[in-house]
Amino acid sequence: MSKMKKRNTAAVAMLMVFGLCASASAAFDEHLNEYTLDSVVVEADATKNKFGDTITEQSYYRTGGDVKVISREEIEKRHYTDISEAIKRVPGVAFQNPGYRGGEYGFGSQYNNGVSINGDTRVIILVDGRRVDNTASARVSSTSTSGGKGTGVILDQVTNMANIDKIEVIKGPGASVYGPDVVGGVINIITRKGGDKNVGTIDLSTGSWSKHNYALTYSGSAGDDNSWHYFLSANRERSSNTKYKDGTTGVVNTLPGSRWKEEGVNIRLDKDFNEKQNLKIWYNYKAGEDGYPVTAPSTKYWNKDSWQKIMFNYIVGKLDANNKVATKNKLSGESNIPGYRTIYNTRALYGQQNEFRHNDLDITYTFDKGNGMDSFVRIYNQNHRYLTRGRMQFSVFGGAAGIGFENYTSLYPNGASEAQLKAWMDANLVPFPGTADSETVKNWVSKYGDPNAVNTVHVEKNRGLELQLVKTIGVNDIIASINYDKAKHDSINTKSNTSQYLKRDSILGYVQDKIHVSDKFDVTPAIRYSYFKSINTDMTDRSGKQVAYNNKGNVSTLTPALNAQYMFDNTSSMYVGWTKICRPLRPGDYSLTDGVFKTPLEDEKGDTYTIGFRKDLSDKTSVGVHYDYTRMSNAIATLPIWSDADNDWKSTAVNAKEDKKSFNLTIDHKFDDHFTLSSAYAHAKDVWKAKDGWILDPNWDYKNADDLNVAINSLRPQNHYSLNLTYENGKLSTGLLTNWYTGCNTNAFSDNRFLILDWNLNYEIKKDMTAYVAVTNLTNEGYETIYKSRNGIGAGAMPARCFMVGMKYTF
């Protein structure tokens, strides 16, 4: 071992030992000076309970755990424009979005802005404690071959930032209430409630790439006793094409088709009948459209000559030295055609786009409260619509296989001169999107494209009824809940003339008992019952014929959990937890049940264990350590397995064993009344093993599988360090966020480490008016957060430096 490696190993070991002896009661929670909790201002000394856990409206569900709460104050001072931007600073949280807002419905998690916590995409998204995913949805991997395990929720499409009061980021299962399939963690979005005073805000900002954000809020109370509370918000956001820096060449380029625009309206009405009874009505509308970039082009090949050669290889085949077709088959992928991913940007040339529209309604009547817990009945309805628009083709030959090859070889059976080849490509292949000759592009698009044509329509509907009862009996805080959910998914593919209808009902219930064994010790056993009805399916092919669907039948399971928390003294505490996991197969999995080896998939099952420590070293310094271990006996993965029939290694979706370990360390320090520093470290590692006697490829690495979750150790940075320095002084506040990613595999990333800086500054011009500046990627770093072997290194380039300036007025 080298001296440098020895020093690094020793340093990490010291930090681990130091953290195991101590931990943080305020670990990595910024701006907790005060926030609104159910219309009551909670001062700093009440934002934490005696164990050091941050208190929120739903914190009574959990016992211990590693939880980061992003407050409204932090959202406003950092000027986060979307949810992913707000939580990317949390250690262990990573995003798979390749630098743009949306992604094609059902095209796999690699092309959607999914989120992972401690390396696991099995994350649950909540709004006010209610799950927003759809169990009949085919959003993730309906057209993939990777066995996607994402949440099926596009995080930035849930609601707008003006509507959010707090965001809870919970690592690991957290509590039985969140469901039997929580592995990576939970993101709970808590919405804003109107206060006693009538207050309005106007927030306007503009910046790089013609980004414009407009947000309006108005809140207050009504009635003689101010028992009615209302909060209203409206927003509109838009941006032209994003810039990105190619990590392999250092060139700053425009990401074609990355433009987007969104708008939303939120209304929340609350009626407080008395201290124990209230009614909440919440309506959320959000709609938007984004372009269709898929991946960032490789700037090395972003020119007309390379474009035409790549397109020729894709449409016709590879040429020899005499420009004669040497490889007849149509080729694809970065390994076969260097620069292959540039052809994806044909979609941007044709103006293809995705559109979404959400209408959500949640009505909750709380009829009793006790010891911080709520008894309520809730009805909800989600209606989500997704649409892909725009027709295109790569050549004059359309989509018919082999026509381009036949045309070229018939004209030039023995090869062609450079001039002949050039003329053939100009006449028959889609022109280079970055060409200066805009008329050529316009003529091609008008002749072979239709930007208004609808390709696919997906409609997801989800409605349900939930009843929760709470009761305190002596030292026992008991919660019992049952939820009936009806989920539907309709899709029509106008290109292939096929349709699909999916329906799934489910009944979910749990009982949890938080036992206050002593003033210092809480134990919380829980058991959850989950019943997922067999998916009811109606599918038709091009001819209108009914298509059989591989259905796995009803799922009925009990999943126990046990969590405990102990306080050593007023400065230190620890927590431990165990949860049984069961993630029923989703529609995207069903399409993969046979695969290459006819191996029907089974529900994902396993166990998750967590342990954590907190310690206040002084009134200014605190430390926290979190460790979790997940052991899945049935995890879905795409693995290279030996095929006797093909005498080769073949990748297929199978159930496999997965062991995942993650470690988080946080240290917070307040220097004085002005400066505060929060630091954190996160690391995760997976080990995958084949089941059922299959033989894995001994040389298997990231190149042999497309599934991000399988080769996660090579497809993500090994280490994530974060430093967050804030300064507050009267009318001025500023913050510098540093994210440092190290241990990146250079076979998958453009560098082995990335240093990303985000900076913001706020100045109160007068009492009701604040000006601000926010800069992301301050040093204009070229970096990526994902890798897909088909597209090559740098395909997931993240946005370049972006400046935003704005003004907020309160009235």
Side-chain angles (χ1 to χ4, degrees):
M1 183 182 290
S2 67
K3 291 183 178 180
M4 180 61 71
K5 287 184 177 179
K6 288 181 178 178
R7 285 197 293 268
N8 290 341
T9 302
V12 172
M14 289 177 65
L15 285 172
M16 290 179 66
V17 172
F18 177 65
L20 289 172
C21 297
S23 193
S25 62
F28 216 66
D29 276 343
E30 179 191 359
H31 297 313
L32 281 175
N33 298 322
E34 63 176 38
Y35 60 80
T36 300
L37 180 62
D38 201 20
S39 296
V40 178
V41 174
V42 181
E43 300 301 333
D45 60 355
T47 61
K48 302 282 184 176
N49 64 17
K50 61 185 179 182
F51 295 105
D53 303 321
T54 303
I55 300 172
T56 69
E57 286 82 344
Q58 279 95 42
S59 59
Y60 61 81
Y61 287 123
R62 43 186 166 85
T63 300
D66 188 358
V67 182
K68 164 72 176 103
V69 176
I70 299 170
S71 68
R72 184 66 213 173
E73 183 182 1
E74 178 182 344
I75 292 172
E76 294 190 351
K77 288 189 175 181
R78 290 287 185 181
H79 306 290
Y80 301 129
T81 57
D82 51 51
I83 299 172
S84 60
E85 185 179 343
I87 67 176
K88 72 178 183 181
R89 62 184 289 272
V90 179
V93 174
F95 287 90
Q96 300 159 0
N97 56 316
Y100 59 94
R101 295 286 281 200
E104 181 181 357
Y105 186 102
F107 204 68
S109 57
Q110 294 91 347
Y111 299 113
N112 288 279
N113 61 342
V115 60
S116 67
I117 297 179
N118 282 336
D120 204 304
T121 60
R122 289 164 287 202
V123 174
I124 298 303
I125 312 299
L126 311 172
V127 173
D128 292 332
R130 174 182 56 82
R131 289 179 62 142
V132 297
D133 61 328
N134 184 308
T135 58
S137 171
R139 175 125 180 97
V140 176
S141 295
S142 66
T143 60
S144 168
T145 57
S146 302
K149 294 177 287 294
T151 176
V153 177
I154 301 300
L155 192 59
D156 293 330
Q157 294 180 357
V158 174
T159 190
N160 62 61
M161 292 302 294
N163 180 47
I164 298 174
D165 185 51
K166 289 182 284 290
I167 305 173
E168 286 183 307
V169 181
I170 305 168
K171 297 178 183 177
S176 184
V177 62
Y178 301 126
D181 53 344
V182 181
V183 183
V186 178
I187 297 171
N188 185 23
I189 300 165
I190 300 174
T191 62
R192 298 174 72 179
K193 177 181 179 180
D196 290 333
K197 296 181 179 179
N198 294 341
V199 178
T201 65
I202 299 175
D203 195 338
L204 307 175
S205 62
T206 186
S208 303
W209 319 320
S210 299
K211 289 183 70 173
H212 306 294
N213 298 327
Y214 317 93
L216 170 68
T217 69
Y218 193 75
S219 63
S221 60
D224 295 336
D225 55 355
N226 288 334
S227 61
W228 281 99
H229 298 270
Y230 57 87
F231 180 86
L232 302 91
S233 70
N235 75 297
R236 175 168 289 181
E237 305 169 9
R238 61 180 58 219
S239 174
S240 60
N241 289 337
T242 302
K243 297 283 187 179
Y244 72 98
K245 186 174 183 179
D246 191 318
T248 59
T249 64
V251 175
V252 176
N253 196 16
T254 299
L255 181 58
S258 56
R259 56 168 180 80
W260 55 268
K261 63 179 180 180
E262 295 178 358
E263 58 187 16
V265 175
N266 301 96
I267 302 172
R268 174 171 168 172
L269 299 175
D270 291 85
K271 168 66 175 177
D272 296 328
F273 299 103
N274 51 53
E275 292 182 356
K276 292 191 173 184
Q277 296 176 316
N278 67 276
L279 174 70
K280 184 195 78 172
I281 302 173
W282 180 74
Y283 170 72
N284 173 64
Y285 169 81
K286 190 165 187 182
E289 60 184 49
D290 58 76
Y292 211 132
V294 182
T295 67
S298 173
T299 57
K300 181 179 179 180
Y301 300 98
W302 192 242
N303 56 76
K304 183 178 179 180
D305 288 342
S306 295
W307 171 273
Q308 289 188 328
K309 290 178 181 177
I310 294 168
M311 193 64 67
F312 186 93
N313 286 340
Y314 179 67
I315 298 297
V316 180
K318 280 194 174 183
L319 297 172
D320 61 16
N322 297 316
N323 290 330
K324 180 181 178 181
V325 178
T327 304
K328 298 180 180 180
N329 296 331
K330 180 178 175 180
L331 301 176
S332 63
E334 184 73 13
S335 60
N336 292 319
I337 309 176
Y340 164 77
R341 68 176 184 264
T342 59
I343 70 171
Y344 288 152
N345 292 275
T346 306
R347 301 178 185 275
L349 182 151
Y350 280 99
Q352 283 196 285
Q353 67 181 38
N354 300 289
E355 301 172 13
F356 76 92
R357 185 176 69 236
H358 292 178
N359 283 283
D360 304 323
L361 179 65
D362 184 324
I363 302 175
T364 303
Y365 173 63
T366 300
F367 52 86
D368 194 18
K369 295 184 179 183
N371 207 18
M373 305 180 294
D374 294 343
S375 291
F376 64 82
V377 59
R378 165 190 279 155
I379 60 173
Y380 57 87
N381 182 64
Q382 292 182 172
N383 194 329
H384 297 174
R385 181 176 183 268
Y386 304 91
L387 180 150
T388 301
R389 191 186 299 275
R391 297 279 171 84
M392 52 159 274
Q393 59 187 63
F394 293 107
S395 70
V396 298
F397 310 110
I403 302 298
F405 166 77
E406 294 171 3
N407 180 272
Y408 181 82
T409 53
S410 65
L411 292 174
Y412 309 108
N414 299 314
S417 66
E418 288 296 326
Q420 289 173 324
L421 175 62
K422 177 75 172 172
W424 189 93
M425 292 190 295
D426 285 342
N428 297 293
L429 301 181
V430 60
F432 175 52
T435 182
D437 185 2
S438 60
E439 288 302 316
T440 300
V441 174
K442 288 180 180 179
N443 291 338
W444 179 277
V445 172
S446 64
K447 187 174 182 180
Y448 297 106
D450 185 357
N452 295 315
V454 175
N455 294 327
T456 58
V457 179
H458 300 267
V459 178
E460 292 182 3
K461 294 183 178 181
N462 200 40
R463 61 192 62 184
L465 173 67
E466 181 182 3
L467 172 65
Q468 176 170 296
L469 300 173
V470 301
K471 185 70 175 179
T472 297
I473 305 175
V475 296
N476 305 81
D477 286 340
I478 302 171
I479 304 175
S481 174
I482 188 167
N483 182 83
Y484 176 61
D485 184 272
K486 295 178 68 68
K488 297 179 182 179
H489 169 230
D490 266 310
S491 68
I492 299 174
N493 189 319
T494 58
K495 290 179 64 178
S496 61
N497 193 29
T498 60
S499 65
Q500 181 186 68
Y501 171 79
L502 303 174
K503 178 182 177 182
R504 190 173 212 175
D505 296 349
S506 59
I507 299 174
L508 308 171
Y510 74 95
V511 177
Q512 173 182 294
D513 183 10
K514 184 176 289 189
I515 307 170
H516 304 290
V517 179
S518 69
D519 290 340
K520 294 185 176 182
F521 188 30
D522 282 356
V523 178
T524 308
I527 189 164
R528 184 175 188 94
Y529 171 73
S530 304
Y531 172 77
F532 295 92
K533 193 174 181 180
S534 175
I535 293 230
N536 186 350
T537 307
D538 184 8
M539 299 177 65
T540 59
D541 61 14
R542 296 172 187 267
S543 64
K545 180 182 177 181
Q546 291 292 114
V547 180
Y549 195 67
N550 196 347
N551 205 329
K552 305 307 291 184
N554 299 337
V555 177
S556 179
T557 181
L558 289 173
T559 50
L562 181 64
N563 290 278
Q565 195 165 19
Y566 182 75
M567 182 175 65
F568 296 102
D569 53 41
N570 292 331
T571 66
S572 60
S573 66
M574 70 172 292
Y575 58 85
V576 294
W578 162 73
T579 302
K580 177 70 71 173
I581 300 296
C582 178
R583 175 192 173 273
L585 291 171
R586 296 293 186 100
D589 302 322
Y590 290 161
S591 62
L592 310 173
T593 51
D594 290 331
V596 178
F597 300 100
K598 308 300 179 184
T599 54
L601 298 179
E602 299 177 1
D603 300 326
E604 290 193 297
K605 295 181 180 179
D607 299 89
T608 295
Y609 307 87
T610 61
I611 185 170
F613 300 84
R614 299 186 176 99
K615 177 67 178 180
D616 291 334
L617 301 180
S618 69
D619 59 349
K620 292 186 177 181
T621 306
S622 57
V623 180
V625 174
H626 173 83
Y627 175 82
D628 68 52
Y629 171 57
T630 298
R631 186 165 195 175
M632 300 295 293
S633 57
N634 266 349
I636 298 176
T638 299
L639 296 176
I641 297 172
W642 181 257
S643 169
D644 291 327
D646 296 287
N647 195 34
D648 194 8
W649 301 101
K650 294 289 185 179
S651 293
T652 188
V654 296
N655 283 114
K657 296 179 180 179
E658 175 195 12
D659 287 347
K660 181 178 71 69
K661 303 173 184 178
S662 63
F663 172 77
N664 299 144
L665 171 68
T666 61
I667 303 175
D668 295 333
H669 180 72
K670 186 174 183 178
F671 294 98
D672 51 37
D673 292 338
H674 305 298
F675 283 100
T676 302
L677 178 67
S678 297
S679 58
Y681 168 74
H683 177 78
K685 184 178 181 179
D686 286 87
V687 176
W688 291 79
K689 301 176 183 177
K691 293 184 59 177
D692 302 323
W694 298 114
I695 301 174
L696 280 178
D697 185 348
N699 299 313
W700 173 61
D701 60 14
Y702 69 92
K703 295 179 182 178
N704 296 96
D706 289 335
D707 189 353
L708 176 64
N709 299 292
V710 174
I712 193 72
N713 298 308
S714 295
L715 298 176
R716 67 164 179 239
Q718 297 297 295
N719 308 296
H720 178 193
Y721 302 87
S722 179
L723 286 173
N724 184 27
L725 179 64
T726 61
Y727 173 80
E728 309 244 359
N729 191 354
K731 297 181 178 182
L732 177 69
S733 68
T734 185
L736 180 66
L737 172 63
T738 303
N739 282 300
W740 190 32
Y741 303 96
T742 68
C744 305
N745 190 318
T746 52
N747 290 318
F749 293 92
S750 58
D751 201 348
N752 62 0
R753 60 189 63 196
F754 304 110
L755 182 67
I756 315 301
L757 302 178
D758 297 335
W759 172 74
N760 70 281
L761 182 144
N762 302 271
Y763 183 75
E764 186 178 322
I765 300 174
K766 57 182 182 178
K767 182 180 179 181
D768 298 325
M769 185 175 293
T770 301
Y772 60 87
V773 179
V775 186
T776 55
N777 196 1
L778 184 64
T779 59
N780 205 28
E781 180 85 351
Y783 72 107
E784 312 91 43
T785 61
I786 63 168
Y787 172 78
K788 185 174 174 63
S789 59
R790 181 180 179 84
N791 301 330
I793 298 174
M798 296 299 288
R801 179 170 49 231
C802 177
F803 287 89
M804 294 295 292
V805 296
M807 188 84 67
K808 182 176 181 180
Y809 174 66
T810 303
F811 59 93

